Amino acid sequence: MKQTADQLTVRKINTVIVLETLRKLAPISRAKLAKATGLNRSTISSIIQSLADIKFVRETELQLDQIGRPGMLLTLNPEGGFTIGLEINVDYVSAILADFNGQLRRKLYRSVNTKMPQHEILMTAVRMATTLVELGQEQKLPFMGMGIGLPGVTDSIAGKLVFAPNLGWRNLDIGQLFFKEFNVPILVENEANCAALGEYRYGAAKDVRNLIYLSAGVGLGGGILIDGEIFHGSQGFAGEIGHMMIERDGFLCACGKRGCWETYVSPNVVIENVRKSLEQGVVSSLTPLLQRSQYALTFRQILDAAEQGDGLALAALTQLGQDLASGLGNLVNIFNPAMIVIGGALTQAGHLLIPAIQKQLSGQVLAAEHTLVQLLPSQLGVDACVHGAVALVLDAVMRDPTNWLT
């Protein structure tokens, strides 16, 4: 019995290795797959047949760029199933339908606000997901599961939202709610963690196994990947970097504490600082906007003004970069990441912020001349979280492919 169990364990491990290799290197021949994995040809053939039987793998075109008999190339089968990636954030709900390769097939977006009742926002998300599920089922694809990204502390094991300060939500069993609606595995995660995973699988940080993702919107979130896995900490609450204390008696944060990093580095803070300067008479091309209405000023307008050389806008973004670097220096010294991805609403300002951050970081990081950390703007932009939510499900499928659909 033990020998049989050991053989099944080895088979499962080898299957995971084959799937991950296909994920990274496909299309690929059986011979090259055997070489890349270190498995023998007969093992490869047996595993590929099993995966083809459940429609996870398919043969594509002939490999013609070699001497001798051409072989069929292998790839993951996009028709193997579909996944829903969902993000519920402070001012919007976003959802995508993706195939087994993680490729986008359809996206939906709805604006919401914190004045709306919790139930109304949740039902908006359910209706959006239902629309996408029906579309996937029309294409006769198996529904593999749903990943949900949320802006707060989550318990990913229990599938619960613990606390989302900017939404004002606490102790929400969102995994159970969506399971009752759809009867498939529901994976719940912090939105910044999802975004970090999305950039790792499909974006700017593809295959960079140690990275920090920084997401700024209404608040400031952070996702940390260590050796290609989300770092959750002992109880699953790691990554709430926006609530690092930067100043002991600083600004009041939505979490109830003072001096949190996110109260210094959000786009809304930049808007407020620029507005105050304009009211004090600082000369700027943005002045007419404020004269029109104190609510007319947007982060995009400040960014546009900075790109045109406006002194006030440039100073505001430089200050933002320095304040971002103050926190990032701590994170680099602690985690020593290979890459930092700047995401969320700050993505659009990355080309202006990153030089300021790099300049400030060089004076804050120990052994800076030996610490090689790359700073890049998000490649997936506002869709990083929903793509990461898809990756949550696909990663789980890859870890246990033969049992996932049973």
Side-chain angles (χ1 to χ4, degrees):
M1 180 66 74
K2 184 177 185 301
Q3 184 177 6
T4 301
D6 288 346
Q7 289 173 344
L8 291 173
T9 299
V10 170
R11 172 77 172 198
K12 181 178 178 179
I13 292 170
N14 288 342
T15 300
V16 172
I17 291 171
V18 168
L19 277 171
E20 283 295 340
T21 305
L22 283 168
R23 202 179 195 183
K24 292 178 180 179
L25 302 180
I28 187 172
S29 68
R30 285 174 171 77
K32 289 185 178 179
L33 183 59
K35 184 176 181 180
T37 59
L39 302 173
N40 62 50
R41 293 284 293 273
S42 62
T43 298
I44 290 292
S45 294
S46 176
I47 290 173
I48 290 299
Q49 185 58 56
S50 297
L51 292 173
D53 289 343
I54 57 174
K55 298 184 179 180
F56 279 9
V57 172
R58 70 176 183 183
E59 293 180 326
T60 58
E61 73 274 11
L62 288 170
Q63 183 182 28
L64 301 175
D65 59 340
Q66 66 176 17
I67 298 173
R69 183 181 178 184
M72 296 294 291
L73 296 180
L74 300 167
T75 187
L76 295 180
N77 181 7
E79 308 299 313
F82 75 91
T83 301
I84 303 298
L86 180 67
E87 179 184 8
I88 302 173
N89 218 308
V90 176
D91 53 359
Y92 65 88
V93 178
S94 180
I96 63 170
L97 166 67
D99 62 28
F100 189 53
N101 276 324
Q103 294 301 303
L104 175 67
R105 294 207 174 188
R106 183 73 181 275
K107 175 184 173 182
L108 297 176
Y109 180 95
R110 299 287 185 274
S111 294
V112 296
N113 62 72
T114 54
K115 294 180 180 179
M116 294 170 63
Q118 181 188 86
H119 177 75
E120 185 177 346
I121 294 174
L122 290 172
M123 287 303 100
T124 297
V126 167
R127 286 192 295 271
M128 292 167 66
T130 299
T131 298
L132 295 179
V133 169
E134 290 172 351
L135 181 60
Q137 291 173 339
E138 285 173 8
Q139 299 173 18
K140 303 190 184 307
L141 304 177
F143 186 12
M144 292 178 160
M146 183 184 303
I148 304 176
L150 299 164
V153 179
T154 59
D155 183 339
S156 59
I157 296 175
K160 294 181 179 181
L161 173 68
V162 178
F163 179 40
N166 292 312
L167 280 171
W169 295 2
R170 289 181 180 270
N171 302 320
L172 176 64
D173 194 352
I174 193 166
Q176 185 63 24
L177 186 156
F178 276 82
F179 179 77
K180 286 180 179 178
E181 290 286 340
F182 299 103
N183 196 33
V184 293
I186 307 293
L187 304 182
V188 176
E189 187 57 83
N190 168 269
E191 56 90 15
N193 285 343
C194 280
L197 186 61
E199 294 288 346
Y200 169 64
R201 286 297 183 190
Y202 311 114
K206 194 166 184 180
D207 297 332
V208 177
R209 297 182 65 80
N210 293 282
L211 70 99
I212 294 173
Y213 175 89
L214 193 69
S215 173
V218 175
L220 180 71
I224 300 165
L225 259 61
I226 298 177
D227 198 24
E229 298 288 338
I230 295 171
F231 177 64
H232 287 108
S234 62
Q235 294 175 289
F237 303 154
E240 288 297 323
I241 61 177
H243 298 286
M244 288 192 300
M245 183 183 289
I246 298 298
E247 188 172 345
R248 183 178 294 276
D249 296 313
F251 302 124
L252 180 65
C253 181
C255 73
K257 298 180 175 60
R258 288 189 175 273
C260 292
W261 189 23
E262 73 172 41
T263 64
Y264 294 86
V265 295
S266 75
N268 287 342
V269 172
V270 176
I271 293 170
E272 181 63 16
N273 290 340
V274 169
R275 185 184 64 79
K276 288 179 178 178
S277 295
L278 292 173
E279 290 176 343
Q280 293 167 4
V282 175
V283 177
S284 169
S285 62
L286 294 165
T287 302
L289 292 172
L290 191 65
Q291 291 172 342
R292 202 176 305 156
S293 168
Q294 64 173 319
Y295 303 109
L297 198 59
T298 67
F299 187 64
R300 179 71 249 181
Q301 289 165 339
I302 294 171
L303 177 57
D304 289 342
E307 291 175 334
Q308 296 299 317
D310 183 88
L312 176 59
L314 284 169
L317 290 175
T318 298
Q319 183 62 54
L320 175 60
Q322 292 172 350
D323 290 339
L324 284 168
S326 296
L328 285 174
N330 295 331
L331 296 174
V332 170
N333 285 329
I334 295 168
F335 293 103
N336 187 214
M339 182 181 289
I340 297 170
V341 178
I342 307 296
L346 298 180
T347 302
Q348 57 188 325
H351 61 294
L352 292 173
L353 289 174
I354 287 173
I357 295 172
Q358 288 174 322
K359 183 177 180 180
Q360 186 85 357
L361 270 182
S362 64
Q364 293 185 225
V365 176
L366 293 176
E369 66 276 16
H370 301 294
T371 304
L372 302 176
V373 57
Q374 188 176 11
L375 274 77
L376 288 176
S378 165
Q379 186 174 316
L380 298 174
V382 295
D383 293 333
C385 176
V386 285
H387 281 281
V390 164
L392 284 175
V393 178
L394 293 181
D395 284 359
V397 174
M398 298 288 181
R399 285 192 288 267
D400 192 13
T402 54
N403 293 326
W404 188 260
L405 296 178
T406 59

